[in-house]
Amino acid sequence: MKLSSLFFFVVFSFLSSSIFAQTDTISKKKFHWGKAQSDTSAGYAQAILVDNVLYISGTVSRGTTMAEQLKGVYTGIERTLQSYGLSFQNVVKENLYTTDIEGVKQNNEVRKAFYKGDFPAASWVQISRLFMPSALVEVEVIAHLPKKQ
Amino acid sequence: MKLSSLFFFVVFSFLSSSIFAQTDTISKKKFHWGKAQSDTSAGYAQAILVDNVLYISGTVSRGTTMAEQLKGVYTGIERTLQSYGLSFQNVVKENLYTTDIEGVKQNNEVRKAFYKGDFPAASWVQISRLFMPSALVEVEVIAHLPKKQ
Amino acid sequence: MKLSSLFFFVVFSFLSSSIFAQTDTISKKKFHWGKAQSDTSAGYAQAILVDNVLYISGTVSRGTTMAEQLKGVYTGIERTLQSYGLSFQNVVKENLYTTDIEGVKQNNEVRKAFYKGDFPAASWVQISRLFMPSALVEVEVIAHLPKKQ
């Protein structure tokens, strides 16, 4: 093999591997609170849009009572949805983690008001604790956007 | 600005905001037990189909033993799948929450029979309790439909 | 009805029902450790690709400390991603289940190194126990592939 051929082979290999590497990466549109792209301390983004699917992280809130935290959690999810031009109508799946499932059941009206009668598929479980020791409830959702024609 | 221009501006703004609001909503096909579209008391639907993805809620069942509950849970999921013309072949992801993970492991044959050897990606965790105090196990799944050409 | 008509009716019904049954099944590309398609004992596959969505099962690892297990878990997820030609750039959602959430927080640098600053939407919860009694942490992720044009 001539040196010139070798040169082109190396360049070609480099270019094609870059191209293949590129084709595997995806386009993501992140949302996080404030100006950040993500929380680099804990290491997560509040939400990621890929294709027409929006994944929203487990969302918590301040407040001492369950009613306060539920209101804060769903308000946070609503703000996240709105940043993509969406509403709770777009939410298809909800996972709720709480340290007090009876407390959630007793304050469910606070949560239900956000859905306006159009409820998602959901799973609720009572777990031992959440990321922040003071958090009583954490909710993650999946929302879909209309597909582009 | 003339009054007529203002009028058209207001009408146009109203129409365009309606149009934009509409383009963000999605088409969902819900399934729930009986004739209901969803359980408006707890606030969830047993399943939601959006695009070609089916989200099935955490499913529980009656029964006093783990074997009975597992059989009931997967029979419920099967009925949900069938209402969309699907089977366990379409299930790609399973999340199982239980208060007794050893009990699930000991009765796994009951669960495995439903999958007929074609198993999904899965995560099982032992949690503190479920929505109904009597529930020993709750299972949610994601199923995909074939894409329309 | 003539016998010949009946014959064609039966054959037609059989063929069309086969066709309809076929249209409901989906194409899945599974990955599991070693040569297996799935773990037929526990009844799950490490990962399933459907359309352009990759569902990775709750992944655990050996190791006595949280740092060791975290490194093992994310190395396992990385190997799974690589088997599809993907990287952590493709991960859009992470669910982490642990028996010691403070331990995960203290060792988060081990986990964060895998994401290289490009973090997913995530939920972390502390639960009672995992499938293997020795497991301190289990992580499942959803990854997306670029859409084919």
Side-chain angles (χ1 to χ4, degrees):
Chain A
M1 193 189 268
K2 281 200 269 185
L3 255 180
S4 60
S5 304
L6 186 63
F7 174 77
F8 283 112
F9 178 76
V10 168
V11 168
F12 177 76
S13 304
F14 176 79
L15 281 175
S16 59
S17 70
S18 304
I19 288 160
F20 288 130
Q22 264 191 319
T23 56
D24 286 338
T25 62
I26 53 170
S27 177
K28 296 175 286 191
K29 190 180 165 198
K30 294 187 189 179
F31 168 81
H32 203 76
W33 309 115
K35 293 176 182 174
Q37 261 275 303
S38 60
D39 178 332
T40 54
S41 166
Y44 79 103
Q46 168 64 10
I48 293 191
L49 174 65
V50 58
D51 302 332
N52 67 321
V53 185
L54 180 66
Y55 296 95
I56 299 187
S57 286
T59 303
V60 291
S61 79
R62 295 182 189 181
T64 46
T65 66
M66 181 61 86
E68 285 167 3
Q69 290 205 8
L70 278 171
K71 186 161 188 179
V73 162
Y74 285 92
T75 302
I77 293 173
E78 190 169 50
R79 279 184 53 197
T80 308
L81 290 165
Q82 285 171 348
S83 79
Y84 291 92
L86 305 179
S87 73
F88 277 96
Q89 195 274 337
N90 300 89
V91 175
V92 288
K93 182 71 195 305
E94 171 193 275
N95 280 72
L96 183 149
Y97 309 99
T98 180
T99 55
D100 175 15
I101 207 160
E102 285 302 326
V104 176
K105 286 161 84 164
Q106 282 154 24
N107 294 280
N108 198 358
E109 294 306 320
V110 177
R111 162 191 170 270
K112 282 162 66 179
F114 285 87
Y115 284 108
K116 296 173 183 163
D118 188 0
F119 299 115
S123 298
W124 294 13
V125 291
Q126 182 168 312
I127 44 74
S128 305
R129 66 158 277 196
L130 297 163
F131 192 89
M132 300 303 293
S134 59
L136 303 171
V137 61
E138 178 168 329
V139 180
E140 64 173 73
V141 301
I142 300 175
H144 277 236
L145 278 72
K147 279 207 165 178
K148 286 170 197 157
Q149 300 303 326
Chain B
M1 194 188 265
K2 279 200 272 186
L3 255 179
S4 60
S5 303
L6 185 64
F7 173 77
F8 283 113
F9 178 76
V10 168
V11 168
F12 176 77
S13 303
F14 176 79
L15 282 174
S16 59
S17 70
S18 304
I19 289 159
F20 287 129
Q22 264 190 319
T23 56
D24 286 338
T25 62
I26 53 170
S27 177
K28 299 175 285 192
K29 191 181 163 197
K30 295 187 188 180
F31 168 80
H32 203 75
W33 309 115
K35 294 176 182 174
Q37 260 274 303
S38 60
D39 178 331
T40 53
S41 166
Y44 80 102
Q46 167 64 9
I48 293 191
L49 174 65
V50 57
D51 302 331
N52 68 320
V53 184
L54 179 66
Y55 296 95
I56 299 187
S57 286
T59 303
V60 291
S61 79
R62 297 183 187 180
T64 46
T65 68
M66 180 62 84
E68 284 168 3
Q69 291 205 8
L70 278 171
K71 186 161 187 178
V73 161
Y74 285 92
T75 301
I77 293 173
E78 190 169 49
R79 279 183 53 197
T80 307
L81 290 165
Q82 285 171 347
S83 79
Y84 291 92
L86 305 179
S87 73
F88 277 96
Q89 195 275 338
N90 300 89
V91 175
V92 289
K93 182 72 195 306
E94 171 194 275
N95 280 72
L96 182 148
Y97 309 98
T98 178
T99 54
D100 175 17
I101 208 158
E102 285 303 326
V104 176
K105 287 161 84 165
Q106 281 154 25
N107 293 281
N108 197 357
E109 294 306 320
V110 177
R111 163 190 169 269
K112 283 162 65 180
F114 285 88
Y115 284 107
K116 295 173 185 164
D118 187 0
F119 299 115
S123 299
W124 295 11
V125 291
Q126 182 169 311
I127 44 75
S128 304
R129 65 159 277 196
L130 297 164
F131 192 89
M132 299 303 293
S134 60
L136 303 171
V137 60
E138 178 167 330
V139 179
E140 64 172 73
V141 301
I142 300 174
H144 277 237
L145 278 72
K147 279 207 167 179
K148 286 170 197 158
Q149 299 304 324
Chain C
M1 193 188 268
K2 280 200 270 186
L3 256 180
S4 60
S5 304
L6 186 64
F7 174 76
F8 282 113
F9 177 76
V10 167
V11 168
F12 177 76
S13 302
F14 177 78
L15 282 175
S16 59
S17 70
S18 304
I19 289 161
F20 287 130
Q22 263 190 319
T23 56
D24 286 337
T25 63
I26 53 170
S27 176
K28 298 175 286 190
K29 191 181 164 198
K30 294 187 188 181
F31 168 81
H32 204 75
W33 310 114
K35 293 177 183 174
Q37 261 273 304
S38 61
D39 178 331
T40 52
S41 167
Y44 79 103
Q46 167 65 11
I48 293 192
L49 174 65
V50 57
D51 302 330
N52 68 320
V53 184
L54 180 65
Y55 296 95
I56 299 187
S57 286
T59 303
V60 291
S61 80
R62 296 182 188 181
T64 46
T65 67
M66 180 61 85
E68 286 168 2
Q69 291 205 7
L70 277 172
K71 186 162 187 176
V73 161
Y74 285 93
T75 302
I77 293 173
E78 190 168 49
R79 279 182 53 199
T80 308
L81 290 164
Q82 285 171 348
S83 79
Y84 291 92
L86 304 179
S87 73
F88 277 96
Q89 195 274 337
N90 300 90
V91 175
V92 289
K93 181 72 196 306
E94 171 193 276
N95 280 72
L96 183 148
Y97 309 98
T98 178
T99 54
D100 174 15
I101 207 159
E102 285 302 325
V104 176
K105 286 160 85 165
Q106 282 154 25
N107 293 280
N108 198 357
E109 295 306 321
V110 177
R111 163 189 169 270
K112 282 161 66 179
F114 285 87
Y115 284 107
K116 296 174 184 162
D118 187 1
F119 300 115
S123 299
W124 294 13
V125 291
Q126 182 169 310
I127 44 75
S128 305
R129 67 158 277 197
L130 297 164
F131 191 90
M132 300 303 294
S134 59
L136 303 171
V137 60
E138 177 166 330
V139 180
E140 64 172 72
V141 302
I142 300 175
H144 277 236
L145 278 72
K147 279 207 165 177
K148 286 170 197 157
Q149 299 304 325

